[in-house]
Amino acid sequence: MEILEFTPRPEQYAWTFGGTAPTHRIKPGTVLRLWSDDAFAGRLRDITDLPSAALDARYLNPQTGPFHVEGAEPGDTLALHFVDMTPARSWGASATIPFFGGLTGTDRTATLQEPLAERTWIYQVDSTRNTVTFEARSSELSLELPMAPMLGTVGVAPALGEVRTSLVPDEFGGNMDTPEMRPGSTCYLGVNVEGALFSLGDGHYRQGEGESCGTAVEGAMNTTLVVELIKGGAPTWPRIEDDDHLMVIGSSRPLEDAWRAGQVDMVLWFSELFGLDRLDSYQLLSQTSQAPIANVVDTNYSVVTKVAKSLLPQTQVYGGMHRHLRETARLIAPR
Amino acid sequence: MEILEFTPRPEQYAWTFGGTAPTHRIKPGTVLRLWSDDAFAGRLRDITDLPSAALDARYLNPQTGPFHVEGAEPGDTLALHFVDMTPARSWGASATIPFFGGLTGTDRTATLQEPLAERTWIYQVDSTRNTVTFEARSSELSLELPMAPMLGTVGVAPALGEVRTSLVPDEFGGNMDTPEMRPGSTCYLGVNVEGALFSLGDGHYRQGEGESCGTAVEGAMNTTLVVELIKGGAPTWPRIEDDDHLMVIGSSRPLEDAWRAGQVDMVLWFSELFGLDRLDSYQLLSQTSQAPIANVVDTNYSVVTKVAKSLLPQTQVYGGMHRHLRETARLIAPR
Amino acid sequence: MEILEFTPRPEQYAWTFGGTAPTHRIKPGTVLRLWSDDAFAGRLRDITDLPSAALDARYLNPQTGPFHVEGAEPGDTLALHFVDMTPARSWGASATIPFFGGLTGTDRTATLQEPLAERTWIYQVDSTRNTVTFEARSSELSLELPMAPMLGTVGVAPALGEVRTSLVPDEFGGNMDTPEMRPGSTCYLGVNVEGALFSLGDGHYRQGEGESCGTAVEGAMNTTLVVELIKGGAPTWPRIEDDDHLMVIGSSRPLEDAWRAGQVDMVLWFSELFGLDRLDSYQLLSQTSQAPIANVVDTNYSVVTKVAKSLLPQTQVYGGMHRHLRETARLIAPR
Amino acid sequence: MEILEFTPRPEQYAWTFGGTAPTHRIKPGTVLRLWSDDAFAGRLRDITDLPSAALDARYLNPQTGPFHVEGAEPGDTLALHFVDMTPARSWGASATIPFFGGLTGTDRTATLQEPLAERTWIYQVDSTRNTVTFEARSSELSLELPMAPMLGTVGVAPALGEVRTSLVPDEFGGNMDTPEMRPGSTCYLGVNVEGALFSLGDGHYRQGEGESCGTAVEGAMNTTLVVELIKGGAPTWPRIEDDDHLMVIGSSRPLEDAWRAGQVDMVLWFSELFGLDRLDSYQLLSQTSQAPIANVVDTNYSVVTKVAKSLLPQTQVYGGMHRHLRETARLIAPR
């Protein structure tokens, strides 16, 4: 088992999907132990650090990678199995940023109102209790919330020669901001360019569905994952499999289009897996789908279509890749 | 404890919120044992019953009620606690209806494509196993799915003298189609007219989030509920409380506006409950919100903002009304 | 030629489409000379009159009517030809209203920001110069703008037994807020209930496309129109014909759905008028359509699909009704 | 006056904004005489050429350029004045493309319906009569339509290191598809990278507002333009000035956000030009705005906010650049 550990230096951060030379070439089957900085590139460290002063729009959401996966060609499927995500700092940060977020006018949902006030929250991590602590700024309220590590951003180089900022989610993955991208999950991404060139970042110690204010409990993350390659079978939209669910993440605007994209892909997947025609798949999905919103704050919004395997006929997707990766994961010593 | 049992005759069905004389006047505290017909008014009974032949757009989604609640005045809050929902037929029906549903062009998302084919599915109910069975039409596949009864439609007479078809969800409640409207839940609705004039219907034996094809496992339902009245405190959007969660249901188009409406109401509710300013509430919601989509098929789309009480400071909403109604529910003999 | 003059007393104002008894029964062919109050019911008369103090949400957009048209049955087409619209006051009013308008968060596009400030503008009418004058409040700027009278609101009773506030545009017409509803235009509306029950109001002395801040130069209006009835042929969406254009007004959310609805109806209309299949009509529309936005502020947004007759094969719509009504109009003495 | 003529060879076509080396370095003040291929790269030449067979998604919307403008730096404003656009072929092409266009389900507005049929139309150009001829495919109808040349796509390299396909409109301009990009217009674009790197293409011999079916009368184009540079003053969204109007083009989804973005920018522009506060500008825009839709078919939708100069106080924008360029244009000999 090849294991690669990598902590990028700040000048090695990637800020885009596509357009960046790979930091490493790896073989399918490689285990990666990666450190990623938080979405603020570590610039919000105290409640006195305000976004408008501390942040630079050109340097948000740094990615670790990209990784060139040997043998990956357009039309193939990259499988990324997340073994472990552990906070790499003892604190996480969240903030309201002027004209960014779900409950404010933005550059697109443009209004003439004054922006909401900026504010930064620092969450202390308690690794023993496995919690992060919300400290209200307007009262004495302090609340321990369960840690629930996830990666906001996982993606490959886009199609059509595009280069997209790491703030965008789309068919290539990217900044989907779904809590489903967590340890135990396998993410399937369609490969658009030779080597796939995937990267990851935007660790969240915890995030609500929708990421309402635009930022989660943002934190540097140590992530262990296994990388595999499936020849062919590229899905249109990112898919996630965990022990209990099949998922598709659609990203677009308006929000119903993000939902529609993921739903149609799941209907087609059902038909392929279960030998149903589209109408039967549509019907089955109608009675079994969960539909948790992922984000309503990014350049595209994201919605997860999620179905419990227990409701579906027994099946094996991508040749049993997820089970295989789960078994591989067990062989990896915890860091 | 006053108990009222009511099974409307077809000519007593209500087809609108507002605009219909009450079938009964009841006192706060009354227990209702209601029968409601399915959204098709019972007209789809066999897979050979096709919507375009069997259904009449004027007679969809029949409501049981409305009920005039004595003492209810505009600005008050109606609390409906659902004690039990039990299928009133041994089968449920679902169907694809031309130009209706989430994954087809519709009257509004108008396209020039041919409609999807019509098809009707009949689900057999197994009360012992507590399941409904999906029978594929394009293959031999048969799948038992857990029963999960809920009401698609619960609402009061709208404000501004409006009369809305029972197909619409909005601030007055109505056809929200959320699986959260199930036994054990208390729904809070703002009162717009004297007597509140609430009604319910659209029983679903099971429904996925989003109600993708536009119809759930539609079935006649026996519902037991307790009706209470809270003076004042009318919420802008319907709220639901169960033992473990606080919820708000926003309904609008596009889907992000349904989400925004519910989220903003939850932020305001947090501020009221926990003494936080809006920014702190927004931050807390950002890290704790669940956001399951309810429907992407009705005249307005609906999204649930849902937060686990376990993540929040201990609090009591509406003077402990939900706990009180849970206790009342225990005193009611099962039907 | 039967001529009916009517100036409603305030207690005769209608506030809804549907749900209101007709003020008059008229025969097809009748000429109406109507006075309608402004959308504020005349309550903003000075720049010191602020909406939050002066307005009542229950009493906005008063309608003159409804009129019961003898012989009108569901499925028929009502033709309303506007002969003349003349300001009935020497001033018009406009205002920013908290959480209402296109460039602010609203009850639906809900945000946590503070509302924009309220402000009222009074426009003096100069009937000789045919202008209204914008007086800036933040500077000495004063600008004469051409008068361009139109009616924001024209509609019939809705289908499905609904009653809608006069603030809503939809298939029944209503508050579409398009500058195309002006003298010289004929509006075709599908009849949903016996007698059609149409009403009108919301005079604008001038309005930009989109009605950005939510209010035009609102003013009481004297309107002369001719009412005709066409048996059958009810259009799905309101249509307008003037000497030079065919138009359809779609109303929905998001804005693309308002556009789609009107576009699809125009494609079908082209096919009917010119004997083209749908693809050819779609192609012809693609190269000839104008698409001015009507409103992005009301409960539904509205978009006009508009095509110059000069680009189309010669045709006669609704049996030449518009030309007939233009000729009738010439016979009517100016008031 | 420096004049540069350029007809790119196919291997010189640019397919993206950003990410492509400039074909030329030019000085501000240069006159360009450019040939651009059509959006199909000339592959639809006959009604038997169907998109699915003839087109390759990687090679659509070829651009002529990019041009490096000497001295252009981020934050500057590029001014492109279009002197002349003349069809470079004797025919134009239009087509329906599966799952592309405004009145069909698409990759984003994903549905399960069958696609609309593919069809190609060829329009003959009559340079003497200045027309293109629509030939119906389902009937004998033939219609001469006025020629109205425009460029669908004009843009600079994007910000944040992005590379976007030439199919996308956004803040950097790109595939806005507005008929306002025509001879006599000056387009102002904010510069994001050194040299601006602007390119153009996607000539339309004629297009309706909205570009309903997704394709205009697409044709190779000879374009004469003058390039100027304004230091500083970069607008957020593309602006257009002609002799009679000021315009801003916003691009986003849903369509109301495209409108909002352009409207807010026009409000800010009004305030800057006329010394009004935002509320006064908002009011003035509300009564004067035209709002023709540009496209409802591309990756982002586009809406034009357009105001007649005749309604506004006399002013001079960008130091009278448009008038200056109009005068320059008069000195250029017709090709």
Side-chain angles (χ1 to χ4, degrees):
Chain A
M1 194 179 298
E2 259 180 88
I3 298 183
L4 172 67
E5 295 208 22
F6 180 50
T7 297
R9 293 184 308 277
E11 66 272 20
Q12 290 177 304
Y13 291 176
W15 306 98
T16 53
F17 288 95
T20 306
T23 57
H24 301 83
R25 294 177 69 95
I26 60 172
K27 288 193 169 49
T30 301
V31 175
L32 295 178
R33 293 191 186 276
L34 304 178
W35 183 92
S36 58
D37 205 345
D38 69 35
F40 305 125
R43 289 175 182 170
L44 298 188
R45 300 180 159 257
D46 187 273
I47 59 171
T48 60
D49 295 329
L50 290 186
S52 63
L55 303 181
D56 180 329
R58 296 168 299 174
Y59 303 112
L60 292 174
N61 221 12
Q63 298 294 298
T64 296
F67 297 90
H68 178 111
V69 181
E70 292 184 2
E73 295 170 306
D76 289 347
T77 304
L78 188 70
L80 303 176
H81 178 66
F82 297 100
V83 180
D84 183 65
M85 296 178 191
T86 305
R89 289 200 186 105
S90 61
W91 52 272
S94 194
T96 47
I97 300 175
F99 297 123
F100 177 70
L103 304 182
T104 171
T106 66
D107 59 336
R108 304 291 157 134
T109 307
T111 74
L112 295 170
Q113 292 159 281
E114 294 298 312
L116 288 173
E118 292 185 86
R119 191 180 286 176
T120 296
W121 291 261
I122 300 295
Y123 288 74
Q124 296 304 322
V125 170
D126 185 326
S127 301
T128 315
R129 297 174 59 86
N130 212 28
T131 59
V132 291
T133 299
F134 167 68
E135 301 278 351
R137 299 287 305 282
S138 60
S139 84
E140 297 302 305
L141 180 67
S142 170
L143 266 181
E144 271 197 331
L145 300 171
M147 184 96 73
M150 53 162 278
L151 289 176
T153 308
V154 175
V156 294
L160 298 178
E162 283 206 313
V163 173
R164 308 299 307 276
T165 89
S166 54
L167 297 168
V168 175
D170 211 310
E171 290 180 353
F172 62 89
N175 196 22
M176 297 172 282
D177 283 321
T178 169
E180 307 293 350
M181 199 72 78
R182 62 183 158 217
S185 289
T186 301
C187 177
Y188 302 102
L189 292 162
V191 174
N192 299 303
V193 304
E194 204 189 324
L197 295 178
F198 83 91
S199 62
L200 57 77
D202 193 23
H204 295 168
Y205 298 168
R206 173 170 191 87
Q207 183 207 301
E209 292 169 0
E211 206 186 12
S212 315
C213 78
T215 58
V217 181
E218 310 284 338
M221 193 77 85
N222 288 310
T223 301
T224 303
L225 71 159
V226 193
V227 179
E228 270 296 355
L229 181 66
I230 299 158
K231 293 307 288 182
T236 303
W237 290 98
R239 292 174 175 178
I240 295 178
E241 182 181 4
D242 67 18
D243 290 355
D244 300 323
H245 301 91
L246 300 179
M247 297 174 244
V248 178
I249 301 103
S251 295
S252 195
R253 290 190 179 196
L255 190 58
E256 55 263 38
D257 276 2
W259 175 83
R260 284 171 178 141
Q263 290 269 309
V264 163
D265 194 58
M266 188 63 92
V267 165
L268 301 182
W269 203 6
F270 273 18
S271 287
E272 186 189 316
L273 293 173
F274 309 128
L276 299 173
D277 71 5
R278 288 183 182 197
L279 280 188
D280 273 342
S281 293
Y282 187 27
Q283 173 60 214
L284 181 57
L285 182 63
S286 298
Q287 315 313 342
T288 58
S289 180
Q290 296 170 55
I293 291 171
N295 96 75
V296 197
V297 298
D298 296 320
T299 318
N300 284 315
Y301 304 142
S302 302
V303 173
V304 181
T305 290
K306 178 178 179 178
V307 185
K309 292 178 179 175
S310 64
L311 298 178
L312 299 174
Q314 281 216 325
T315 186
Q316 187 171 269
V317 309
Y318 292 112
M321 177 58 78
H322 175 71
R323 201 177 322 158
H324 162 69
L325 287 165
R326 285 292 265 168
E327 281 156 19
T328 304
R330 267 183 227 114
L331 306 176
I332 301 171
R335 179 141 50 164
Chain B
M1 196 180 295
E2 261 180 87
I3 297 183
L4 171 68
E5 295 209 22
F6 179 50
T7 295
R9 294 184 308 275
E11 67 272 20
Q12 289 177 302
Y13 290 176
W15 306 98
T16 53
F17 288 95
T20 306
T23 57
H24 301 83
R25 293 176 71 95
I26 61 173
K27 286 193 171 47
T30 302
V31 175
L32 296 178
R33 293 191 186 275
L34 304 178
W35 182 94
S36 58
D37 205 344
D38 68 36
F40 304 125
R43 289 175 182 170
L44 298 188
R45 300 179 159 259
D46 187 274
I47 60 171
T48 60
D49 294 330
L50 290 186
S52 62
L55 302 181
D56 180 329
R58 295 169 300 173
Y59 304 113
L60 292 174
N61 221 13
Q63 300 294 298
T64 297
F67 298 90
H68 179 112
V69 181
E70 293 184 2
E73 294 170 306
D76 290 346
T77 305
L78 189 70
L80 303 175
H81 179 67
F82 297 100
V83 180
D84 183 67
M85 297 178 191
T86 304
R89 289 199 185 105
S90 61
W91 51 271
S94 193
T96 48
I97 301 174
F99 298 122
F100 177 69
L103 304 182
T104 171
T106 66
D107 59 336
R108 303 289 158 135
T109 307
T111 74
L112 294 169
Q113 292 159 281
E114 293 299 313
L116 288 173
E118 291 185 87
R119 190 180 287 175
T120 296
W121 292 261
I122 299 295
Y123 288 74
Q124 296 304 322
V125 170
D126 185 324
S127 301
T128 315
R129 297 175 56 85
N130 210 28
T131 59
V132 290
T133 299
F134 168 69
E135 301 279 350
R137 299 285 307 280
S138 59
S139 85
E140 297 302 306
L141 180 67
S142 171
L143 267 180
E144 270 197 332
L145 299 171
M147 184 96 71
M150 52 161 280
L151 289 177
T153 309
V154 175
V156 294
L160 298 177
E162 284 207 313
V163 174
R164 307 301 307 276
T165 88
S166 55
L167 297 167
V168 175
D170 212 310
E171 289 180 352
F172 63 87
N175 196 20
M176 298 172 282
D177 283 320
T178 169
E180 307 295 348
M181 199 73 78
R182 62 184 157 217
S185 289
T186 302
C187 177
Y188 303 102
L189 292 162
V191 174
N192 299 302
V193 304
E194 206 188 324
L197 295 178
F198 83 93
S199 61
L200 56 79
D202 193 21
H204 296 166
Y205 297 168
R206 174 172 189 86
Q207 183 207 301
E209 293 169 0
E211 206 185 12
S212 313
C213 79
T215 57
V217 181
E218 308 285 338
M221 194 77 83
N222 288 310
T223 301
T224 303
L225 71 158
V226 192
V227 179
E228 270 298 354
L229 181 67
I230 299 159
K231 293 308 287 182
T236 303
W237 291 98
R239 293 174 174 177
I240 295 179
E241 183 181 4
D242 67 18
D243 289 356
D244 300 323
H245 302 91
L246 300 180
M247 298 175 244
V248 178
I249 301 103
S251 295
S252 195
R253 290 189 179 196
L255 191 57
E256 55 263 38
D257 276 3
W259 175 82
R260 285 171 177 140
Q263 290 268 311
V264 163
D265 194 57
M266 188 64 91
V267 165
L268 302 183
W269 203 6
F270 272 19
S271 287
E272 186 189 317
L273 293 173
F274 309 129
L276 299 173
D277 71 6
R278 287 185 181 195
L279 280 188
D280 273 341
S281 293
Y282 187 25
Q283 173 60 216
L284 181 57
L285 182 63
S286 297
Q287 314 313 342
T288 57
S289 181
Q290 296 172 55
I293 290 171
N295 95 74
V296 197
V297 297
D298 295 319
T299 318
N300 285 316
Y301 304 143
S302 303
V303 173
V304 181
T305 290
K306 177 179 179 179
V307 186
K309 291 178 180 176
S310 64
L311 298 178
L312 300 175
Q314 281 216 326
T315 187
Q316 187 172 269
V317 308
Y318 291 112
M321 177 58 79
H322 175 71
R323 200 175 325 155
H324 163 69
L325 287 165
R326 286 293 267 169
E327 281 156 20
T328 305
R330 269 186 224 111
L331 307 176
I332 301 170
R335 181 143 48 168
Chain C
M1 194 180 298
E2 259 179 89
I3 298 183
L4 171 68
E5 295 209 22
F6 179 50
T7 297
R9 293 183 308 275
E11 67 272 19
Q12 288 178 304
Y13 291 176
W15 306 99
T16 54
F17 289 95
T20 306
T23 57
H24 301 82
R25 295 177 69 95
I26 61 173
K27 287 194 169 51
T30 302
V31 175
L32 296 177
R33 293 190 186 275
L34 305 178
W35 182 93
S36 58
D37 205 344
D38 69 35
F40 305 125
R43 289 174 184 173
L44 299 187
R45 300 180 159 258
D46 187 275
I47 60 171
T48 61
D49 294 330
L50 291 186
S52 62
L55 303 181
D56 180 330
R58 296 168 299 174
Y59 303 112
L60 291 175
N61 222 11
Q63 299 294 298
T64 297
F67 298 90
H68 179 111
V69 180
E70 292 184 2
E73 295 169 305
D76 289 346
T77 304
L78 188 70
L80 303 175
H81 178 67
F82 297 100
V83 180
D84 183 66
M85 298 179 191
T86 305
R89 289 199 186 105
S90 61
W91 51 271
S94 193
T96 47
I97 300 174
F99 298 123
F100 176 70
L103 303 183
T104 171
T106 66
D107 59 335
R108 304 290 157 135
T109 306
T111 74
L112 295 169
Q113 293 159 281
E114 294 298 313
L116 288 173
E118 294 185 85
R119 192 180 286 176
T120 296
W121 291 261
I122 300 296
Y123 288 74
Q124 295 304 321
V125 171
D126 185 326
S127 301
T128 315
R129 297 174 58 85
N130 211 27
T131 58
V132 291
T133 299
F134 167 69
E135 302 279 350
R137 299 285 307 280
S138 60
S139 84
E140 297 302 305
L141 180 67
S142 169
L143 268 180
E144 271 198 332
L145 300 171
M147 183 96 72
M150 51 161 280
L151 289 177
T153 308
V154 175
V156 294
L160 297 177
E162 283 205 315
V163 173
R164 307 300 306 276
T165 89
S166 55
L167 297 168
V168 176
D170 212 311
E171 291 180 353
F172 62 88
N175 196 21
M176 298 173 281
D177 283 320
T178 169
E180 307 294 350
M181 199 73 79
R182 65 183 156 217
S185 290
T186 302
C187 177
Y188 302 102
L189 292 162
V191 173
N192 299 302
V193 305
E194 205 188 324
L197 296 178
F198 84 92
S199 61
L200 56 79
D202 192 23
H204 295 168
Y205 297 169
R206 173 170 190 87
Q207 184 207 300
E209 293 168 3
E211 205 186 13
S212 313
C213 78
T215 58
V217 181
E218 310 284 337
M221 194 77 86
N222 288 310
T223 301
T224 303
L225 71 159
V226 192
V227 180
E228 269 298 354
L229 181 67
I230 299 157
K231 293 306 289 181
T236 303
W237 291 97
R239 293 174 174 178
I240 295 178
E241 182 180 5
D242 65 19
D243 290 355
D244 299 323
H245 302 91
L246 300 180
M247 297 175 244
V248 179
I249 301 105
S251 296
S252 195
R253 289 192 180 194
L255 190 58
E256 56 262 37
D257 276 4
W259 176 83
R260 285 171 176 140
Q263 290 270 308
V264 163
D265 194 58
M266 188 62 90
V267 165
L268 303 182
W269 203 7
F270 273 19
S271 287
E272 185 190 318
L273 293 173
F274 309 129
L276 299 173
D277 72 5
R278 287 183 181 198
L279 280 188
D280 273 342
S281 293
Y282 187 26
Q283 173 60 216
L284 182 56
L285 182 63
S286 298
Q287 315 314 344
T288 58
S289 181
Q290 295 171 56
I293 291 171
N295 95 75
V296 197
V297 298
D298 295 320
T299 318
N300 285 315
Y301 304 143
S302 302
V303 174
V304 181
T305 289
K306 177 177 179 178
V307 186
K309 291 178 180 175
S310 64
L311 299 178
L312 300 174
Q314 281 216 325
T315 186
Q316 187 172 269
V317 309
Y318 292 112
M321 177 58 79
H322 175 71
R323 200 176 324 157
H324 162 69
L325 287 165
R326 285 292 266 168
E327 282 157 18
T328 305
R330 267 183 227 113
L331 307 176
I332 301 171
R335 179 140 53 161
Chain D
M1 196 180 295
E2 261 179 86
I3 298 184
L4 172 67
E5 295 210 21
F6 179 49
T7 297
R9 296 185 305 276
E11 66 272 20
Q12 290 178 302
Y13 291 176
W15 306 99
T16 54
F17 288 96
T20 306
T23 58
H24 301 81
R25 294 175 72 93
I26 61 172
K27 287 193 172 48
T30 301
V31 175
L32 297 178
R33 292 191 186 276
L34 304 178
W35 182 94
S36 58
D37 205 345
D38 70 32
F40 304 127
R43 290 175 182 169
L44 299 188
R45 299 178 160 259
D46 188 274
I47 60 170
T48 60
D49 295 329
L50 290 186
S52 62
L55 303 181
D56 180 329
R58 294 169 301 173
Y59 303 113
L60 292 174
N61 221 13
Q63 298 294 298
T64 297
F67 298 90
H68 179 112
V69 181
E70 293 184 3
E73 295 170 304
D76 289 346
T77 305
L78 189 71
L80 304 175
H81 178 68
F82 297 100
V83 180
D84 183 65
M85 297 178 191
T86 305
R89 289 200 186 103
S90 62
W91 51 271
S94 194
T96 48
I97 301 175
F99 297 122
F100 177 70
L103 304 183
T104 170
T106 67
D107 60 335
R108 304 289 157 135
T109 307
T111 74
L112 295 169
Q113 291 159 280
E114 293 299 313
L116 288 173
E118 291 185 87
R119 189 179 288 176
T120 296
W121 292 261
I122 301 295
Y123 287 74
Q124 295 304 321
V125 170
D126 186 325
S127 300
T128 315
R129 297 173 58 85
N130 211 28
T131 58
V132 291
T133 299
F134 167 69
E135 301 280 350
R137 300 285 306 280
S138 60
S139 85
E140 297 302 305
L141 180 67
S142 169
L143 266 181
E144 270 198 332
L145 300 171
M147 183 97 72
M150 51 161 281
L151 289 176
T153 308
V154 175
V156 294
L160 297 178
E162 284 205 314
V163 173
R164 307 300 308 276
T165 89
S166 55
L167 298 167
V168 175
D170 211 309
E171 290 181 352
F172 62 88
N175 196 22
M176 297 172 283
D177 283 319
T178 168
E180 307 293 350
M181 199 72 77
R182 63 184 157 217
S185 290
T186 302
C187 177
Y188 302 102
L189 292 162
V191 174
N192 298 303
V193 304
E194 206 188 324
L197 295 178
F198 84 91
S199 61
L200 57 77
D202 192 23
H204 295 168
Y205 299 168
R206 174 173 188 85
Q207 182 208 301
E209 292 170 359
E211 207 186 10
S212 313
C213 78
T215 57
V217 181
E218 309 284 338
M221 194 76 83
N222 287 311
T223 301
T224 302
L225 70 158
V226 193
V227 179
E228 270 297 354
L229 181 66
I230 299 159
K231 294 307 289 183
T236 303
W237 290 97
R239 293 173 173 178
I240 295 178
E241 182 181 3
D242 66 18
D243 290 355
D244 300 324
H245 302 92
L246 300 180
M247 298 175 242
V248 179
I249 303 103
S251 295
S252 195
R253 289 189 180 196
L255 190 57
E256 56 263 38
D257 277 3
W259 175 83
R260 285 171 177 141
Q263 290 269 309
V264 163
D265 194 58
M266 188 63 92
V267 166
L268 302 182
W269 204 7
F270 272 19
S271 288
E272 186 189 317
L273 293 173
F274 308 129
L276 299 173
D277 72 5
R278 289 184 180 195
L279 280 188
D280 273 342
S281 293
Y282 187 26
Q283 173 60 216
L284 181 56
L285 182 63
S286 298
Q287 313 314 343
T288 59
S289 181
Q290 296 171 54
I293 290 171
N295 96 75
V296 197
V297 298
D298 296 319
T299 319
N300 284 315
Y301 305 143
S302 303
V303 174
V304 182
T305 290
K306 178 178 180 178
V307 185
K309 291 177 180 177
S310 64
L311 298 177
L312 300 175
Q314 280 216 328
T315 186
Q316 187 172 271
V317 308
Y318 292 111
M321 177 58 79
H322 174 73
R323 201 176 322 156
H324 163 69
L325 288 166
R326 287 292 266 168
E327 282 156 18
T328 304
R330 268 183 225 113
L331 307 175
I332 301 170
R335 181 143 49 168

